[in-house]
Amino acid sequence: MDSVNISGATILGYGITGIVSILMPFILAIIWKRITDEKYFAAFVGAFGFFCAATVRILLRAMLLGNSSPLRESPFAFYVTNALISGVLEETARLLCFKYPLKNKSSRSVSVMHGIGHDGFESITAIGIVSFQYVSYLSTAKSIGIEAFMKGLSETEAQNVADGISSLADQNFFSSLFVTLGSVSGAALHIALSVIVFSALQQFEWKKLFLLAVGLHTFADILPYFEHIGLITMEGVTILDIIFTAAVSWFAYKKYQELPYI
């Protein structure tokens, strides 16, 4: 197992991804507050909304996509269901945030601040913290050797750890940069979706725009399926995601211009 090559560039790549993913929400929130004087409260509400949606999502995934689920027999059905769960729950969370704790906020700037908070919670916990865990694992394994790293583990546990480290080590610095780009693209998409859902309430088009937001979110979460079946690479998925996000962001920007700035 010590033959696995863990390069310093790979570790650095995970570190850069972690730093960007953790700092980006705070930097965006500070910049947006300086530009619009929007309160940070909307960002906290967005983060809490995502937390609630993620908690319910864990329960639904366990019920619908557990080991005994027939959906596991079809990767496509599994990915679509998983993506739809995220789309419905997260966009519903956005709608409820704007309808209740942020109901007295009618300025369009609140939608962007909310999106920053919504994405920020996910970016920090699902990408930032995880990336630094990878840095810790790889750095320790590289320093003391994989065999020493797995000392005291059972054969099955050791094999799982070895497979995990090997998989992490296979990701080069270039791949990590694409993950970082994906994180930035994800922030832009979540902000755009918050603008669209906010517009749904402000322009009394909640059925049309809300369902559109659910559909867009679901489609974005289906994109990794194409990598799973080997149709395109991880880098290809990221490029498609960036193109898709750019289109959604342009639509959201047009809706944003129609909203009042109070």
Side-chain angles (χ1 to χ4, degrees):
M1 291 301 177
D2 283 317
S3 60
V4 175
N5 179 35
I6 303 175
S7 72
T10 297
I11 297 174
L12 176 63
Y14 284 118
I16 292 174
T17 298
I19 291 171
V20 172
S21 299
I22 290 176
L23 293 183
M24 179 174 59
F26 296 103
I27 294 173
L28 289 177
I30 291 171
I31 291 174
W32 192 245
K33 187 180 190 311
R34 289 185 176 181
I35 293 174
T36 65
D37 199 33
E38 182 60 56
K39 305 299 182 184
Y40 291 128
F41 177 69
F44 287 114
V45 170
F48 180 72
F50 176 84
F51 170 77
C52 292
T55 302
V56 177
R57 180 169 57 196
I58 291 173
L59 298 175
L60 281 181
R61 281 176 174 172
M63 290 177 1
L64 300 177
L65 303 174
N67 293 331
S68 60
S69 172
L71 292 172
R72 285 187 169 271
E73 298 178 6
S74 170
F76 180 73
F78 179 88
Y79 265 87
V80 169
T81 303
N82 186 49
L84 189 59
I85 289 173
S86 292
V88 171
L89 290 178
E90 288 192 43
E91 299 316 307
T92 298
R94 278 185 232 271
L95 187 71
L96 293 176
C97 284
F98 290 131
K99 196 170 182 180
Y100 294 106
L102 298 175
K103 64 180 179 179
N104 294 325
K105 298 280 189 177
S106 57
S107 176
R108 62 189 182 183
S109 60
V110 73
S111 62
V112 175
M113 187 65 85
H114 172 277
I116 292 172
H118 182 106
D119 171 75
F121 191 95
E122 181 175 27
S123 178
I124 292 170
T125 57
I127 302 177
I129 294 176
V130 171
S131 293
F132 280 117
Q133 288 177 334
Y134 293 163
V135 169
S136 176
Y137 294 154
L138 292 176
S139 297
T140 304
K142 182 178 177 64
S143 175
I144 67 175
I146 297 178
E147 294 294 343
F149 185 75
M150 297 186 302
K151 186 177 180 180
L153 299 178
S154 67
E155 184 177 346
T156 301
E157 291 172 336
Q159 186 60 53
N160 289 336
V161 170
D163 290 343
I165 291 177
S166 178
S167 176
L168 292 176
D170 284 341
Q171 299 297 317
N172 55 36
F173 181 78
F174 182 71
S175 298
S176 294
L177 290 183
F178 266 87
V179 174
T180 303
L181 286 175
S183 178
V184 175
S185 176
L189 181 63
H190 278 299
I191 291 171
L193 290 172
S194 285
V195 172
I196 292 172
V197 173
F198 184 72
S199 298
L201 289 173
Q202 295 297 313
Q203 298 180 337
F204 304 102
E205 297 179 291
W206 78 268
K207 288 185 178 180
K208 181 173 69 175
L209 290 179
F210 173 70
L211 291 177
L212 175 64
V214 170
L216 292 172
H217 192 141
T218 301
F219 179 78
D221 283 0
I222 290 175
L223 286 178
Y225 169 74
F226 299 112
E227 178 192 358
H228 175 77
I229 62 176
L231 187 62
I232 54 178
T233 63
M234 181 271 287
E235 291 81 7
V237 170
T238 301
I239 292 172
L240 283 177
D241 184 62
I242 291 173
I243 294 172
F244 174 72
T245 296
V248 175
S249 297
W250 174 250
F251 174 78
Y253 174 69
K254 301 300 288 186
K255 300 302 296 183
Y256 183 83
Q257 289 183 311
E258 297 173 5
L259 296 169
Y261 182 65
I262 301 173

